Amino acid sequence: MASSTVIAINVDREGVALAPPYSSKSQKKKLDRFYCQPIVSILKQKPMNGHDMRKVIHSVKVGVALVLVSLLYLLGPLYKRVGENAMWAIMTVVVIFEFFAGATLSKGLNRGIGTVLGGGLGCLGAAFAQAVGGVGKAMVVGIAVFIFGAGATYTRQIPNIKKKYDYGALIFILTFNLVVVSGLRADQVLELARDRLATIVMGFAICIFISLLVFPIWAGDELHHSLISRFEDLARSLEGFSKEYFENDNHKEKKSNANFSGKCKSILHSKAKDESLVNFARWEPWHGKFGFSYPWGKYLKIGEDLRDLAIIILSLKGCHDQSSEILEESVKEACEGIVASLAWTIKELGESIKEMSKCRYEEMIVPKMKSVRIEVSAVVNPFALGTYLENSDGLGIASFVHLLMKMVEKLEELAKEVEELGQLGGFHENS
């Protein structure tokens, strides 16, 4: 017969099973380790990085703003003065408090301008409708709602207006319709509009005070650091490409391939973020190293040049896949030096923006680009005289050299943009 094992189960007086006794100290340690594992895993979690900490700070700031604006309801003396209109202050905080200070200021001013214009015109329309009286009152309101609603909606579709003042136009439509329509039933429409505007201003003031003065999160700083990181990523991508293209270590090849391709692709998707941050940064007051007239528009042009460089680097990999090892060896040494010079130039330009110092365009960048052009021409000439176009490997090398020349031209354009940024932004002279 097969042997069987009997496990004793302890039961209390009410018939509830108790935990089994430990057969040894090692079993007890294992069970204790099992129960403590979730706690230990929580304690071993990585600390929050800077971006996560900013999210926490923003969340706390919004919570504090909501508490302050809720005092209009909670405190009796304040509630007697504003009444049910206190909800407009709460709505204002919820709607306009954004992550970046510039976004909060932009939304707040848009809301304020839209409210004032919409409320003012709505009061005039309601007053005119009441003066007409009778059936004509409803006709006047209907015509006014159609004209201003259609006109404001058409204005929202204009690109420049949509980019900067779309929210203000939306609030104008909403406020105008609420005021002019409610004016048909309310005898004191001016007082109603005034009270609502006052509570909106209260909510706006609380948002601006907390957003700008309590651990402010600037869109300008985010844009500046984001641009610098892209220079560094491009330089690393070129260095990674050089390892993949000119080294025979398969492990390094695969690793560098994954790294530089991912970085370049992330740079290609940065346009929408740049446009949004530039729009917010233009609303922000003087802070840190950035003045009122700082040329944020230059960041868009520089970002566009960086995306073009990322496309060229990704295209270089296609040329690498088409080239044979024999042709690689024939141009390996010269092209390796060219790629290293291009990576150095990108690092130098990024360091110039990071330190906010002039990039020494005439002293260093121009001579470096001239020497790179000479090196590229030296690579081209032997192939231009030969018959390398007769096979696909030769076409790959020709495309590779053409892309290097194109990268040199794009870097010269980028260097000029960085130089102009330094002049307009008041960068200091590099010591």
Side-chain angles (χ1 to χ4, degrees):
M1 291 181 61
S3 61
S4 60
T5 303
V6 179
I7 300 175
I9 300 178
N10 296 332
V11 181
D12 63 2
R13 294 180 180 178
E14 297 180 357
V16 179
L18 300 176
Y22 300 114
S23 60
S24 63
K25 291 184 179 181
S26 61
Q27 183 179 358
K28 182 177 182 300
K29 289 182 179 179
K30 290 180 180 179
L31 193 59
D32 291 341
R33 191 182 302 116
F34 174 77
Y35 286 128
C36 295
Q37 188 174 1
I39 300 175
V40 174
S41 62
I42 293 175
L43 295 176
K44 286 184 177 180
Q45 285 181 352
K46 293 182 180 179
M48 289 185 295
N49 55 30
H51 186 70
D52 292 335
M53 182 57 66
R54 290 193 304 169
K55 290 180 180 179
V56 173
I57 292 173
H58 172 69
S59 302
V60 172
K61 287 164 64 176
V62 173
V64 171
L66 288 173
V67 170
L68 292 177
V69 79
S70 297
L71 295 177
L72 296 175
Y73 265 115
L74 301 176
L75 299 181
L78 293 176
Y79 182 76
K80 290 180 181 179
R81 294 184 65 88
V82 299
E84 294 295 332
N85 289 314
M87 69 175 182
W88 291 95
I90 297 175
M91 289 175 58
T92 300
V93 172
V94 173
V95 169
I96 74 171
F97 209 127
E98 296 287 341
F99 186 79
F100 296 110
T104 301
L105 188 59
S106 171
K107 244 186 170 181
L109 291 177
N110 270 275
R111 184 177 179 85
I113 295 172
T115 301
V116 171
L117 291 179
L121 291 175
C123 290
L124 291 177
F128 181 70
Q130 289 180 354
V132 172
V135 180
K137 180 167 63 173
M139 294 180 62
V140 170
V141 170
I143 293 173
V145 167
F146 173 78
I147 292 175
F148 285 99
T153 302
Y154 179 81
T155 303
R156 290 180 63 193
Q157 301 177 56
I158 301 174
N160 291 334
I161 299 296
K162 185 175 182 63
K163 185 182 296 184
K164 297 180 180 180
Y165 308 107
D166 181 68
Y167 183 68
L170 177 65
I171 294 299
F172 169 83
I173 297 172
L174 176 63
T175 306
F176 177 81
N177 279 269
L178 288 175
V179 172
V180 74
V181 173
S182 61
L184 292 175
R185 305 295 180 184
D187 296 331
Q188 299 177 338
V189 64
L190 291 177
E191 294 183 7
L192 179 64
R194 182 196 62 193
D195 293 340
R196 288 184 178 180
L197 179 61
T199 54
I200 290 174
V201 170
M202 292 178 190
F204 172 71
I206 291 173
C207 288
I208 295 303
F209 176 81
I210 295 178
S211 180
L212 297 184
L213 301 181
V214 181
F215 298 104
I217 303 173
W218 304 109
D221 290 340
E222 177 73 14
L223 176 63
H224 189 73
H225 296 312
S226 174
L227 192 74
I228 293 169
S229 66
R230 271 175 271 167
F231 275 94
E232 296 172 352
D233 289 343
L234 277 180
R236 293 195 191 101
S237 297
L238 271 179
E239 292 171 351
F241 170 78
S242 179
K243 290 181 179 179
E244 176 184 353
Y245 195 86
F246 302 115
E247 293 184 10
N248 295 323
D249 190 340
N250 293 329
H251 178 69
K252 288 183 178 181
E253 181 177 342
K254 292 180 181 179
K255 186 176 180 181
S256 63
N257 178 24
N259 287 340
F260 90 78
S261 297
K263 290 175 182 177
C264 289
K265 289 177 181 178
S266 65
I267 292 174
L268 295 179
H269 297 89
S270 61
K271 183 176 181 180
K273 180 181 178 181
D274 285 352
E275 291 178 348
S276 178
L277 289 176
V278 167
N279 185 30
F280 297 150
R282 284 170 172 166
W283 289 90
E284 292 177 347
W286 188 303
H287 63 279
K289 302 173 288 187
F290 310 111
F292 289 108
S293 58
Y294 191 79
W296 294 113
K298 278 292 176 184
Y299 281 64
L300 294 177
K301 185 64 177 71
I302 292 174
E304 191 67 32
D305 289 340
L306 291 178
R307 284 187 288 274
D308 291 339
L309 286 174
I311 293 174
I312 295 174
I313 294 175
L314 289 174
S315 300
L316 287 174
K317 176 156 190 316
C319 297
H320 165 257
D321 295 338
Q322 296 176 10
S323 302
S324 67
E325 295 181 359
I326 297 175
L327 290 175
E328 285 182 16
E329 291 295 332
S330 61
V331 296
K332 176 178 177 180
E333 185 175 355
C335 289
E336 189 174 3
I338 293 170
V339 171
S341 298
L342 295 175
W344 175 89
T345 304
I346 294 175
K347 283 183 179 179
E348 185 71 16
L349 295 176
E351 192 68 21
S352 171
I353 298 178
K354 181 179 180 180
E355 301 297 331
M356 299 193 76
S357 60
K358 294 185 178 179
C359 68
R360 296 182 292 180
Y361 178 75
E362 296 293 339
E363 301 174 12
M364 298 185 64
I365 304 300
V366 172
K368 175 67 72 172
M369 290 296 98
K370 285 183 178 179
S371 63
V372 171
R373 279 180 176 275
I374 294 174
E375 293 176 4
V376 174
S377 300
V379 173
V380 173
N381 285 334
F383 289 97
L385 297 175
T387 58
Y388 65 94
L389 292 176
E390 296 178 359
N391 55 69
S392 59
D393 294 336
L395 288 174
I397 290 296
S399 300
F400 178 81
V401 175
H402 172 72
L403 288 172
L404 286 180
M405 185 64 73
K406 191 174 180 181
M407 183 176 288
V408 172
E409 296 174 357
K410 184 57 63 175
L411 267 179
E412 289 176 343
E413 295 178 11
L414 179 62
K416 290 180 182 178
E417 295 293 337
V418 174
E419 183 189 28
E420 291 179 8
L421 174 64
Q423 294 174 352
L424 297 174
F427 287 7
H428 60 81
E429 292 288 344
N430 200 343
S431 57

